[in-house]
Amino acid sequence: KAGVTQTPRYLIKTRGQQVTLSCSPISGHRSVSWYQQTPGQGLQFLFEYFSETQRNKGNFPGRFSGRQFSNSRSEMNVSTLELGDSALYLCASSLLAGEPVYEQYFGPGTRLTVT
Amino acid sequence: AQSVAQPEDQVNVAEGNPLTVKCTYSVSGNPYLFWYVQYPNRGLQFLLKYITGDNLVKGSYGFEAEFNKSQTSFHLKKPSALVSDSALYFCAVRVLSYNTDKLIFGTGTRLQVFP
């Protein structure tokens, strides 16, 4: 099976712009989560989606949003980019949500640089 | 609140020697504990998990972890380190509820294995 794929892998944007990142989960996986990784804050939870519904959101401003499609693919959007949004954005998929026996598998991430 | 602590920013070990990467946790309810490894410019790779059952959990690449409920610890171990084990290691607790499924990560420990 193909792993979790994320596009694009690298992105450079300017402050004030918006950006959309894409995540394709492992085939058959229905749960998708997003995490932000920065040197200062480490790995932080952004959102969790299951069956096209956002079940939970981390402590991030409203500029961060996301969605999940019927094929389980997910996108996240960041509007009005700030320098502090520069980070590695990781997507993870799991067969089902809320079942610890099914671990989360991570994609390679999208490296976003805001200048 | 659920949390994970990795007290060491870096662990140095000689190739062939045993290694230990420490992790302690604080959770309410059942602890679902995970170890992930991150290589440069890569996403997180799942190593092993503790859900229930035997306190000694075996995972990928010869790694194992010991769950200790009384000490609230979940240390990662390997009997004989390889140079290729050099990477960033994250301990995580999985938080589950009726509307939440997310990983809370420790700050990470950089493992350096010297030839």
Side-chain angles (χ1 to χ4, degrees):
Chain A
K1 274 186 180 178
V4 178
T5 57
Q6 293 187 244
T7 55
R9 290 291 312 276
Y10 302 91
L11 207 49
I12 300 175
K13 290 287 188 178
T14 304
R15 272 181 302 175
Q17 289 185 316
Q18 76 166 17
V19 66
T20 298
L21 312 182
S22 180
C23 170
S24 293
I26 292 172
S27 178
H29 284 196
R30 296 170 58 194
S31 174
V32 173
S33 298
W34 289 87
Y35 295 84
Q36 182 197 61
Q37 184 178 18
T38 60
Q41 299 298 317
L43 280 155
Q44 293 189 292
F45 169 77
L46 275 162
F47 328 96
E48 178 215 345
Y49 289 90
F50 182 74
S51 293
E52 302 178 64
T53 300
Q54 185 182 96
R55 296 196 329 138
N56 196 23
K57 183 176 179 180
N59 189 24
F60 280 83
R63 301 184 297 104
F64 290 80
S65 63
R67 59 180 175 170
Q68 187 181 33
F69 301 95
S70 58
N71 62 357
S72 295
R73 190 178 68 86
S74 177
E75 289 181 348
M76 67 163 282
N77 183 278
V78 187
S79 62
T80 319
L81 284 166
E82 300 178 358
L83 294 179
D85 297 333
S86 295
L88 181 66
Y89 290 88
L90 293 165
C91 169
S93 77
S94 179
L95 189 64
L96 294 173
E99 297 290 340
V101 67
Y102 300 117
E103 55 267 19
Q104 295 186 356
Y105 291 93
F106 284 79
T110 294
R111 172 75 63 185
L112 171 64
T113 302
V114 182
T115 62
Chain B
Q2 328 277 9
S3 65
V4 172
Q6 293 182 244
E8 303 155 317
D9 290 337
Q10 180 153 331
V11 169
N12 299 316
V13 64
E15 187 174 33
N17 283 1
L19 70 87
T20 298
V21 183
K22 296 180 180 177
C23 171
T24 59
Y25 65 90
S26 174
V27 302
S28 54
N30 294 322
Y32 303 122
L33 300 163
F34 295 76
W35 276 102
Y36 286 85
V37 60
Q38 186 175 36
Y39 296 98
N41 300 316
R42 303 277 292 275
L44 302 177
Q45 294 181 28
F46 168 77
L47 278 179
L48 50 79
K49 67 185 177 190
Y50 173 82
I51 304 299
T52 186
D54 289 340
N55 290 341
L56 185 63
V57 179
K58 293 188 183 296
S60 307
Y61 313 119
F63 284 94
E64 58 189 28
E66 187 169 10
F67 171 70
N68 188 314
K69 187 174 182 178
S70 62
Q71 298 185 6
T72 61
S73 66
F74 189 55
H75 301 331
L76 182 69
K77 300 181 180 183
K78 188 174 182 182
S80 179
L82 299 172
V83 172
S84 57
D85 292 330
S86 298
L88 189 56
Y89 290 80
F90 290 96
C91 181
V93 61
R94 192 159 174 183
V95 177
L96 300 175
S97 72
Y98 75 97
N99 68 345
T100 296
D101 182 353
K102 64 181 180 182
L103 288 165
I104 295 177
F105 289 90
T107 51
T109 298
R110 187 164 300 281
L111 173 66
Q112 192 72 46
V113 182
F114 295 95

